[in-house]
Amino acid sequence: TGPLKNPEKWDFDTTGELKDLVVNTSHLPAPFSMTGGKFKLNPDKIVFTDFQTRFLDASLQVSGTLYDYQRGFEKAELDFSGRVTPKDVQWLSDFLAMEHSIQVRSPIRVSKAHLSWRKGAETTFKGDLAMLNGPEISLDVFRNSQELRINNLVIHDEISHAAIGLDLKGQR
């Protein structure tokens, strides 16, 4: 319900299931496709579950919540697993207006990942990464405008194991 010419004042609550959806828009550098997943949509947020997605070169299973989408996505909470490439990581960093402090050079298998992002405020990431023909990485990191905090970073392969924690404040 709500005035037709003012969608921001609409009141609704809908659920559904998507199958074989392709979104092609000038806001994205390539089509975004979903082969399946469930969603719940209301004026404040979009909640989605088990979306099987493809974008650029990435193939991910994603569940999460996008908040304040009518104002341009103010916050996101995402759980995902799958495969990403350096091109995908670069695009996401640009989209989230994050500095490019990490260079990815090979495809990455992602599992048990959780990304929490608030526009202009903070980003956290927890997850397991495995590089193609390379090490496995477990990462728990927090970043805002004043701080980069690596709560836990574990890197291991068949011959080595390293763990680190780090807190950098005011390093911008």
Side-chain angles (χ1 to χ4, degrees), residues 61-96:
Q61 179 175 346
V62 184
S63 295
T65 305
L66 302 175
Y67 296 89
D68 298 325
Y69 67 92
Q70 293 188 56
R71 293 188 297 172
F73 297 112
E74 299 293 319
K75 180 180 173 185
E77 297 285 340
L78 304 173
D79 294 306
F80 57 97
S81 61
R83 180 182 179 274
V84 296
T85 68
K87 179 167 76 171
D88 307 315
V89 173
Q90 178 70 42
W91 180 86
L92 183 61
S93 295
D94 291 343
F95 179 75
L96 297 178

Side-chain angles (χ1 to χ4, degrees), residues 49-62:
T49 308
D50 297 328
F51 272 26
Q52 303 295 323
T53 66
R54 293 195 60 80
F55 178 65
L56 296 172
D57 295 329
S59 175
L60 296 170
Q61 179 175 346
V62 184

Side-chain angles (χ1 to χ4, degrees), residues 8-167:
E8 67 277 359
K9 294 183 180 180
W10 291 357
D11 184 24
F12 57 91
D13 195 2
T14 187
T15 60
E17 189 169 338
L18 293 175
K19 184 173 168 91
D20 298 326
L21 174 71
V22 176
V23 177
N24 204 350
T25 172
S26 62
H27 298 291
L28 297 175
F32 180 86
S33 65
M34 293 175 273
T35 56
K38 297 179 181 181
F39 69 91
K40 182 175 182 172
L41 178 68
N42 66 41
D44 300 320
K45 63 187 173 184
I46 303 169
V47 178
F48 49 95
T49 308
D50 297 328
F51 272 26
Q52 303 295 323
T53 66
R54 293 195 60 80
F55 178 65
L56 296 172
D57 295 329
S59 175
L60 296 170
Q61 179 175 346
V62 184
S63 295
T65 305
L66 302 175
Y67 296 89
D68 298 325
Y69 67 92
Q70 293 188 56
R71 293 188 297 172
F73 297 112
E74 299 293 319
K75 180 180 173 185
E77 297 285 340
L78 304 173
D79 294 306
F80 57 97
S81 61
R83 180 182 179 274
V84 296
T85 68
K87 179 167 76 171
D88 307 315
V89 173
Q90 178 70 42
W91 180 86
L92 183 61
S93 295
D94 291 343
F95 179 75
L96 297 178
M98 295 172 57
E99 289 186 23
H100 306 289
S101 54
I102 298 175
Q103 295 293 322
V104 176
R105 297 194 170 119
S106 69
I108 302 169
R109 187 181 73 246
V110 181
S111 60
K112 297 185 276 183
H114 180 80
L115 177 69
S116 178
W117 170 79
R118 282 191 323 150
K119 186 176 183 179
E122 62 193 41
T123 303
T124 62
F125 175 83
K126 294 179 184 179
D128 296 332
L129 313 171
M131 307 301 187
L132 183 65
N133 300 319
E136 294 182 6
I137 300 168
S138 181
L139 180 62
D140 177 355
V141 63
F142 167 89
R143 172 127 193 183
N144 65 20
S145 64
Q146 300 298 314
E147 178 181 19
L148 170 64
R149 184 175 63 237
I150 300 173
N151 297 315
N152 192 33
L153 170 62
V154 177
I155 304 170
H156 66 91
D157 59 21
E158 58 276 346
I159 60 172
S160 61
H161 180 92
I164 188 171
L166 179 68
D167 193 355

